[in-house]
Structure formats: C-alpha cells, structure tokens
Amino acid sequence: MEIKNNRKKYYSNTSNILKFTGNWFIDAGILGFVNLMEEIYGWDLGRLREELRRDSEVVYYGYFPFAYLYKWLKDRNISVSNSLKKRLIEELEQTSFKNNYELFKHVWSKFVCRIFKSIWIKNKINKRTNEIYRGSNLKPEFNDSKYENLIRRQDSAIKDLLESDTEIRDEIKSLLNKRGELKKLEFEELEILLDSSEISSKLNNLLLPLKEVRKELKDYLDKLWELNVVESFKIAQEKSRFYRLPVDSGFYKNFLFYNYSAGNLEQCKSFYDAISFNLKSNRILSRIDKTVNKFLPSKKEFSNIYYAELSSKIFKEEIPWLFVYLLCFIYAFTNFRGIGYVIFYSNDIKLTYTINKRLKIHQEKVQDLSSLLKVTWREIIDVLFEYKSYWSLENMYIIRYRRLDNQTQEDVEYIGIPKLQASIIIDDVVRDALNKYIPTPKVERGRKVWIWVLEEFIKNRLLLPHLINYLHEYLGKRLNIKLENRTLIYANSVDARLRELGKDNNLFSSEFFNGYRNVLFEIKEDATNMFLAAKNAYRIFNDPKEREKTASRLLSTIRKRNKYAFTNILLKSFIGKTEKQKEIRNLNKYLFEKIISNDINWENYAFVIVIGLIYGGVENGESEEFEE
C-alpha cells in the first residue's frame, strides 16, 4: 500500500473525525491528543479534524510521534529547533511512502532521533567507568569499545582535577561555589569549568586533557548518531540499547518505549505497534490496566478478573487509535498551582475543548478551588449560552488529581454535577451566593477547617448542619467572622428544597424528567419569603442583647431537633411587643405555615428566624442589617 500525500484530497471516512465516545477516560485521551497537536503544530480542533479528513494516517503515523516526543523534551526545558518541525511539515506534505511503517520509520529516524541527539550525547558523556559496567562486563547500553576507552580517559582527567594540590582545588570550589571537601564533579560543573575564562594558567593546563577528551567524545557520538541512526537507521541488534532514546515516565513506567530494557529498535517498533493497535506483536497492549495508565488498577486489582480480563480487543474496531489517546491522557489536564491537575469534562468534544481552553487563560490567576470554580462557572455558562447546550451542564464532571506516579495516586477526585444541581447553579445569583467558604468547629494542624458551600452542594450533601455549626460558633464568641446573610439564606433555601425532594425516590419523578424546571423558581421564591421572615424577626426586638439571647435559645432547640420547644420560645418572646403587631402577625403566619405543619424540613425555616435575629434581612438580600 502506497501512501500518497495529496493534501488537497478529502476522505469521507467518518471514523477519522474526532468525537467523544461517552467514556470519560478515553475521551480525556482524545482531548489530550487535540491539546498536544494544537500546542506543537498550532492546529485547533477544527483544523485537526480537517487534517484527519485529508489523511488520518499521515497525522497519526507522521505528525503524532514527532509531536509526542517533541513535547516530552519541551516539558523538560530541552530546547528543540523549530526549523526541524517546519522541515517535517514540508516533507510530510510532499513525500510518498510505501506503507504506514515506512512513514513512521522515516519520521522516527530523520526527525524524532534527530531531536534526541543532544540529550543522548549528554547522557553518554555524563557517565563514569563504574557506571557502564555490570561486574566485569559492559552493560548493553554502553557496549562500544571506543566509547569505553574515551570514558576511561575522561575519568582519568577528572581524577587529576580532584587530586590536584590545595590551591587548584580551592580555585575549583570558588568557581563552582562549593563548600567542604571536593569529592566529585557533576556534568554541569565540568561544563562550567570548561567554559570559564578567568582561571589560572595552572588550572587551565589541568583542564586541557579534559577539554580534549570531551571534544573527542562529542564528535565521536555525534558521528555515530548521525551515521547509524538519523541517516541510515541501520542499528545492529546488539547495539540497540546503546542507541536507546533516553526517555522515561513515572506515569507510563512499564509501558512501551519508556521501558528501560528497550533499545532504539524496540522503542521504534513498540511505539509503532501502539499507534497501529498491533496486539499480536506487542502483548502488553492486549489489556487495559495500570500498565497503560496509572488511573487504572492493576490486572490483579480488577474486581471481575476471575470472570474476564479487560481486553483491549473489544475497542479495536470502534476506537482504532485507542493507544494514541491513552498516551495523550495526561495532556487533557491543566495544572493549577496549589490545586492539582484538573479537567472539566462533558460528553461533547467541542464543548469540553472550548471550556478547558478558556480555563487555561486563567491558569496563573487561580489560587484555590473556590477561585477555580468561580472562573470555571463563568466560562461554562458563557459557552453553554453560546452553544445553546444547557443540557451539557448536567453531563459535566470535574476530575482532579494532585500527583500520579508508578506507585501512588494522590488526591484523585471525581465531581459529577447531578441534573438537579445543574438546574440550580446555572443561575448567577444562587451560584454566587453558594460559592463561599464557611468555617467549621474543626481544627486541623492548628488551623480552622473551612467547607466550600458550592462543592458540598454539588456533592449532594446537606448544608444546614454546616450553617448551624457556624452560627453556634458565632453566637458563642468563638468566631468573629460575619458571613453575608445572602450566603446563609440562599444556602438554607437550597438545602430546604433538596431535603423536600429527597423525601421520596425522585429518580423517575416528573421533576426529574422535566429537568427540574420549577425548582430554581421555587428556591428563589422561598429565599424571598425567608428574607422577609428574617426581617420581621429582627424588627420585633429593639434590644440587641434580647435578640442575641433569643437567637441562642432558638438555635439550641434546632440543634436538638425540638420543634415544639422552638415554637414555645418564639411565641413567648412576642409577649409585650404590642407596638410590633404587624411583624408578629407576619411571623406567626410564617411559623404556622412553614414550621408547625412541616415535618420534613422545618429546621431550615426555623433557622431563618435565628439568622434574622443576628443579621436582619431584606427581600433581595443585598444588605446585612437594618437601620431602625
């Protein structure tokens, strides 16, 4: 099969059009692939889809392997010439290849191996004789007699420096800002010495043999790499480890070409096998487990292992580029300082791509989860309005991890947004009110623990216990932090509605199927009534001390879940308040309608009265207190 790169020709094969599968794990890999190609070649989602329609094999076998390893170097601050990338694009536009493997091998030898030449040479030079031996034999990755002899000469020159007289050793330590005894010299330190211009003639004479042998090493290794790898790619099998690309990954420690036992030939073949989904040639590709991604359990840890392995064969026809996506999985995440690696996922690729791309703009500004979500919801809502995809919010997930390596998964978290929560937080007023932190009585490592109200809500947890704890601490003078009444009342109103909906199984209720359209309206209407109740409670009492004492007693009955004690205390407090008949009448109506006849969530409505006694309240919730 000959691959003719007529870049003007379009193919109608829809399997080459990037689209999500509905499995977030695979879809994250697809997004990572899009992000990679955009970062290296500047192709956004639309342009990448266009390139795939033109010739998907050139993209996957040609552009992808170069981009993947180019980024590996870039992430380690190893400079790579942009001119080589331009040359690659030109060659792939103009050159024809017999088959996919010829295309891949051409890119591997002429471009991938070329960008690794400098780091390979540095890796080889920065060795000592004792490091290149296993017992009395050379290790496979160093089995070249001339290279061995040059390393011995280099060791001898370094030894002369370390064993020089005190004057020379002091000069060396001064140049390198080293203290203590001079026992060894690292690669970078040797480079500094060799590049130093202001040195004594005595030290310069000692450095001449080192300069000479290192130049010979560089020239010899450069010649070997260019001749045997880049130009001809004629590597003898026994020399494969000698020419191994020095790549490593904690995330894919035992996967493919990262394996330390693989030489250049094996790296090339295993990378090709992954792209082509070649299970026969590479058995490690036959199963999907921790070997290919640290988010997954190992083969032994799968709960259904006694019934069937999670075989990759079932994906081959539907997702022919599966392992390309799995290799790009980590590129789907954005690193937010102090928070970890985050992706916002929905089952629509364009929506997910757009939101995550916009979030990267705010990467440096985000300091904590609260600010992350504050930025995120704004971007999400903007995109949802732009694409008229309100349904997508309820199909969106936040996946976050702090660290993953070969052994550890640290702080991995999956936050889904249920349909009910999605229908509520789409409203700016409610979302802003809930996007706050509340202090708790807990103390960890000498610091008070705060809960994030919006996160608790998204996770479908009750909010009232946190609100009660906060006011209990505030009334007990253990807190001097006064939160906005808007946060307390909206959080309380949301909690009341959730408790009411939770009294029955609402999974297949009419509310569920109509998308909870009325819930947001009911929450805001309820919040308005709560603000009015809070206002009336505040105005009934003229004495601040009486307000505080009554609030403390009422809060105690709420904590004990004693509705009748709450009612008696409140009614008795009205005695003698003849000048406040209007407020008392309004509050009595609220008491009988929302508390006395309510066995489901009466505590929420009672709690509003306590808020009013401490804060006051207005219908729109814009101010915290009243002027009398």
Side-chain angles (χ1 to χ4, degrees), residues 212-236:
E212 183 182 334
V213 71
R214 285 174 80 83
K215 185 179 184 307
E216 283 189 53
L217 262 170
K218 287 180 181 178
D219 291 345
Y220 177 65
L221 293 171
D222 186 286
K223 183 179 178 181
L224 284 181
W225 192 261
E226 285 291 331
L227 181 63
N228 297 330
V229 181
V230 176
E231 296 302 328
S232 64
F233 200 61
K234 291 182 179 178
I235 301 173

Side-chain angles (χ1 to χ4, degrees), residues 420-421 424-425 430-431 433-434 438 451-469 486-504 506 519-520 522-524 526-527 530 558 561 590 594 598-608 611:
L420 172 58
Q421 276 76 359
I424 294 170
I425 61 176
V430 177
R431 187 177 64 255
L434 297 184
I438 289 184
I451 65 103
W452 182 24
V453 181
L454 185 60
E455 181 180 22
E456 296 293 295
F457 171 63
I458 289 173
K459 291 181 176 180
N460 205 29
R461 295 171 179 167
L462 291 178
L463 304 178
L464 184 61
H466 297 300
L467 305 178
I468 290 174
N469 282 336
R486 294 177 72 253
T487 294
L488 295 175
I489 288 182
Y490 271 111
N492 188 52
S493 175
V494 165
D495 191 80
R497 193 70 183 101
L498 291 184
R499 293 175 74 185
E500 189 173 329
L501 287 170
K503 69 182 185 294
D504 299 313
N506 283 274
V519 171
L520 181 60
E522 292 164 357
I523 286 172
K524 298 184 82 169
D526 222 14
M530 287 179 175
I558 294 172
R561 305 186 71 181
Y590 177 86
K594 298 294 186 180
N598 181 357
D599 292 326
I600 298 168
N601 53 3
W602 70 269
E603 295 99 327
N604 292 94
Y605 294 96
F607 183 67
V608 168
I611 295 174

Side-chain angles (χ1 to χ4, degrees), residues 12-20 49 52-53 325:
S12 60
N13 188 352
T14 56
S15 67
N16 292 329
I17 302 174
L18 285 174
K19 56 186 178 181
F20 276 176
R49 280 175 159 172
L52 288 169
R53 288 191 187 99
Y325 305 143

Side-chain angles (χ1 to χ4, degrees), residues 298-311:
S298 67
K299 178 182 176 182
K300 293 180 180 178
E301 291 169 335
F302 270 114
S303 59
N304 68 337
I305 198 65
Y306 295 107
Y307 301 97
E309 291 183 15
L310 184 56
S311 171

Side-chain angles (χ1 to χ4, degrees), residues 31-48:
L31 179 64
F33 172 68
V34 176
N35 290 342
L36 171 69
M37 301 305 275
E38 182 167 15
E39 179 179 344
I40 304 304
Y41 300 111
W43 300 345
D44 61 11
L45 177 61
R47 171 67 186 278
L48 180 56

Side-chain angles (χ1 to χ4, degrees), residues 83-91 110-111 114:
S83 61
L84 196 63
K85 183 168 62 176
K86 292 177 182 177
R87 246 182 66 196
L88 170 80
I89 295 170
E90 290 173 2
E91 285 200 20
K110 298 292 188 293
F111 294 94
R114 191 181 292 280

